[in-house]
Amino acid sequence: LIECRGLEKIYHMGEQVVHALDGVDLAIEDGEMLAIIGSSGSGKSTLMNILGCLDRPTAGSYMLDQHDVSRLPDDELARVRNRKIGFVFQQFNLLARSTALENVEVPLFYRGDAHPGDLARRSLERVGLANRMDHYPNQLSGGQRQRVAIARALVTEPSIILADEPTGNLDSVTTEEIMQLFLELHRQGVTLIIVTHEPNIAEYCERQIRIRDGKIVEDQRHGAP
Amino acid sequence: LIECRGLEKIYHMGEQVVHALDGVDLAIEDGEMLAIIGSSGSGKSTLMNILGCLDRPTAGSYMLDQHDVSRLPDDELARVRNRKIGFVFQQFNLLARSTALENVEVPLFYRGDAHPGDLARRSLERVGLANRMDHYPNQLSGGQRQRVAIARALVTEPSIILADEPTGNLDSVTTEEIMQLFLELHRQGVTLIIVTHEPNIAEYCERQIRIRDGKIVEDQRHGAP
Ligand SMILES: Nc1ncnc2c1ncn2[C@@H]1O[C@H](COP(=O)(O)OP(=O)(O)OP(=O)(O)O)[C@@H](O)[C@H]1O
Ligand SMILES: Nc1ncnc2c1ncn2[C@@H]1O[C@H](COP(=O)(O)OP(=O)(O)OP(=O)(O)O)[C@@H](O)[C@H]1O
Ligand SMILES: [Mg+2]
Ligand SMILES: [Mg+2]
């Protein structure tokens, strides 16, 4: 499904050069559930943004469903992204002037749905926010905002979900509920890529990849049944 | 040092009433290190904002260092806050158009320091960001932004530190470094109040308070040496 070769992301800061990604090769099968772990600043979000078609690498290739993503013009890239990928951002990226419900409707509007309200409402119910739909982001707790971001990523039922630290602001009970939701999607055939700092979240995933200084240093599969 | 009686925070959303805090009594001694735990939406950040003089309760009283904080006008409140309290926000609240270094200098400017650069630089070094001082927030990883927020909270050497989920975006090694930093401050007599979802972070604290639906439901001290 996903094939990356030699991915690099380089930033130039005056004299300084930052190698956020420094040669990443990665192949991901349809329907895999994989965890990406690594220390702060190691390159996880940078990799996720490229996988999610939100950013382009400085070098290297990215094949998604046999399309060379790097060849696509911006509007084409946006269409692939909206159709196939749901993205949970590390810092949520909600629209401040839209309610929780309106935020979750956005991806449905993009794909042309006439009546996004029902699907959006159900998505918010599944993350436990039935009674917060009309709240604006600044009227929500940190963990509630995180759950709105999750609901938004799931509402179009994408075949690939990229979740960048999706439970960082959640207590253990709510975290468990979200992981059960992800496992359910996995059982339905969705491909899940989860960045996490928490070993017990990584445990849920059949495969774990460790990133250090922009490179993959470990790639392990569990003895999954 | 801190004495809260009957704190309430009520929001009116059309017909709906949200009791973010629903009668909180809390006494905190000088030099205590305490953890606040509780599920998403239970009222932790609301309580922290009141303790940090960033918000006023709807009802109840808050005595800080024997001053009735609720009696103070806004500018007086701001002065108390800037002199005594360092606050690490759950979502960092960095200035987007200032570098990491400039962000950390802000509290020093407020107190009238002529040469904030040195103290700010040292504070960033202590959180491992010596080589990221000239980066803007959008050029930093999530965990790096969190550490800038921590460095900013510590730079004026406040006597009270309020940290709202300070390690949510950090890997275990970096988390350990930050907790060692907090323990060091604790040994120097600083009062620390840490909101956390992680039981192992709560373990570092000699006292743990659990909040549910805007009320304190547990208040335990460890057998601390
Ligand atoms: N401005 C507001 N208007 C209405 N409701 C609000 C407002 N701010 C917060 N709330 C509600 O108050 C409750 C407590 O919020 P708070 O941010 O204190 O939770 P929290 O314990 O910090 O949660 P988390 O662990 O998710 O950060 C939440 O249910 C939230 O929806
Ligand atoms: N626009 C940019 N300009 C310069 N450097 C950048 C930029 N964006 C990211 N970086 C740097 O690239 C490195 C990787 O960043 P990235 O956000 O991928 O880390 P991460 O693994 O997600 O970290 P965290 O766990 O803290 O979220 C970091 O050291 C960061 O400072
Ligand atoms: Mg990141
Ligand atoms: Mg909170």
Side-chain angles (χ1 to χ4, degrees):
Chain A
L1 179 67
I2 286 175
E3 178 120 30
C4 303
R5 295 254 176 82
L7 285 184
E8 290 184 44
K9 186 71 186 182
I10 298 174
Y11 295 106
H12 296 277
M13 310 279 300
E15 292 296 317
Q16 195 193 4
V17 181
V18 177
H19 293 267
L21 290 183
D22 199 15
V24 168
D25 300 323
L26 180 59
I28 300 169
E29 305 287 321
D30 214 343
E32 275 199 79
M33 186 168 173
L34 112 90
I36 298 179
I37 56 183
S39 59
S40 175
S42 57
K44 306 178 295 299
S45 297
T46 305
L47 176 59
M48 291 288 271
N49 288 338
I50 290 169
L51 291 177
C53 302
L54 293 157
D55 191 15
R56 294 178 188 276
T58 316
S61 67
Y62 173 25
M63 305 290 286
L64 172 63
D65 234 358
Q66 282 135 27
H67 292 107
D68 185 343
V69 164
S70 50
R71 292 277 135 85
L72 300 176
D74 282 359
D75 59 342
E76 194 71 17
L77 197 68
R79 267 204 296 137
V80 166
R81 186 172 69 228
N82 293 332
R83 254 190 319 122
K84 297 185 181 232
I85 298 170
F87 205 113
V88 185
F89 292 89
Q90 189 170 1
Q91 294 197 284
F92 321 155
N93 296 15
L94 301 180
L95 301 173
R97 273 168 281 166
S98 298
T99 62
L101 185 67
E102 290 163 348
N103 265 283
V104 176
E105 290 175 332
V106 169
L108 298 168
F109 278 124
Y110 270 130
R111 78 171 182 192
D113 285 28
H115 302 289
D118 295 333
L119 281 177
R121 228 165 258 123
R122 259 214 324 203
S123 200
L124 281 164
E125 283 165 6
R126 290 175 78 186
V127 298
L129 291 178
N131 59 355
R132 288 288 182 273
M133 297 200 189
D134 301 322
H135 284 233
Y136 288 84
N138 68 350
Q139 296 171 328
L140 293 172
S141 76
Q144 289 167 346
R145 288 174 206 158
Q146 187 155 42
R147 283 181 277 158
V148 174
I150 293 168
R152 179 180 61 184
L154 306 189
V155 75
T156 49
E157 300 184 297
S159 49
I160 303 168
I161 290 169
L162 299 172
D164 197 344
E165 299 191 40
T167 62
N169 278 286
L170 302 177
D171 59 279
S172 48
V173 173
T174 316
T175 293
E176 178 63 20
E177 291 166 5
I178 294 301
M179 290 316 293
Q180 287 307 323
L181 181 49
F182 284 169
L183 286 172
E184 168 65 23
L185 293 167
H186 179 51
R187 278 193 289 275
Q188 292 169 19
V190 174
T191 304
L192 286 128
I193 304 169
I194 303 171
V195 168
T196 181
H197 285 311
E198 298 178 50
N200 39 342
I201 305 280
E203 295 286 303
Y204 282 92
C205 301
E206 58 208 9
R207 180 182 176 193
Q208 295 182 26
I209 286 177
R210 181 180 292 277
I211 294 192
R212 185 181 301 147
D213 299 326
K215 294 185 182 71
I216 293 178
V217 295
E218 254 175 63
D219 188 344
Q220 299 201 25
R221 284 165 206 278
H222 290 176
Chain B
L1 180 66
I2 285 175
E3 177 120 32
C4 303
R5 294 254 177 82
L7 286 183
E8 290 185 44
K9 186 71 186 182
I10 298 174
Y11 296 106
H12 296 276
M13 309 277 301
E15 292 297 316
Q16 195 192 1
V17 182
V18 177
H19 293 267
L21 290 183
D22 199 14
V24 167
D25 301 325
L26 179 59
I28 299 170
E29 305 286 320
D30 213 343
E32 275 200 79
M33 186 168 173
L34 113 90
I36 299 180
I37 57 183
S39 58
S40 174
S42 57
K44 308 179 294 298
S45 297
T46 305
L47 176 59
M48 292 287 272
N49 288 338
I50 289 168
L51 292 177
C53 302
L54 294 157
D55 192 16
R56 294 177 188 277
T58 314
S61 67
Y62 173 26
M63 306 290 287
L64 171 64
D65 235 357
Q66 280 135 26
H67 292 107
D68 185 344
V69 163
S70 49
R71 289 278 133 85
L72 300 176
D74 282 358
D75 58 343
E76 194 72 16
L77 197 66
R79 268 204 295 134
V80 166
R81 186 172 68 228
N82 293 330
R83 255 190 317 123
K84 298 188 182 230
I85 298 170
F87 205 113
V88 185
F89 293 89
Q90 188 170 2
Q91 296 198 283
F92 321 154
N93 296 16
L94 301 180
L95 301 173
R97 273 168 281 165
S98 299
T99 62
L101 185 67
E102 290 162 349
N103 265 282
V104 176
E105 290 176 332
V106 169
L108 298 168
F109 277 124
Y110 270 131
R111 80 171 182 193
D113 285 29
H115 302 289
D118 295 332
L119 281 176
R121 226 165 259 124
R122 260 218 321 209
S123 198
L124 281 164
E125 283 165 7
R126 290 176 79 186
V127 297
L129 292 179
N131 60 355
R132 289 286 181 273
M133 296 200 189
D134 301 322
H135 284 233
Y136 288 84
N138 69 349
Q139 296 172 327
L140 293 172
S141 77
Q144 290 166 347
R145 288 174 206 159
Q146 187 154 42
R147 284 181 276 158
V148 175
I150 293 168
R152 179 180 61 183
L154 306 189
V155 76
T156 49
E157 299 184 298
S159 49
I160 303 168
I161 290 168
L162 299 173
D164 197 344
E165 300 191 38
T167 62
N169 278 285
L170 302 176
D171 58 279
S172 48
V173 173
T174 316
T175 292
E176 177 63 21
E177 290 165 7
I178 294 301
M179 290 315 293
Q180 287 306 323
L181 180 50
F182 283 168
L183 286 172
E184 169 64 24
L185 292 166
H186 179 50
R187 279 193 289 275
Q188 293 169 19
V190 174
T191 304
L192 285 130
I193 305 171
I194 302 172
V195 168
T196 181
H197 285 311
E198 298 178 50
N200 39 342
I201 305 280
E203 295 285 304
Y204 283 92
C205 302
E206 58 209 7
R207 181 181 176 194
Q208 295 183 28
I209 286 177
R210 180 180 292 278
I211 293 190
R212 184 180 301 146
D213 299 326
K215 297 185 182 70
I216 294 180
V217 295
E218 254 176 63
D219 189 344
Q220 299 201 29
R221 283 164 208 280
H222 289 178

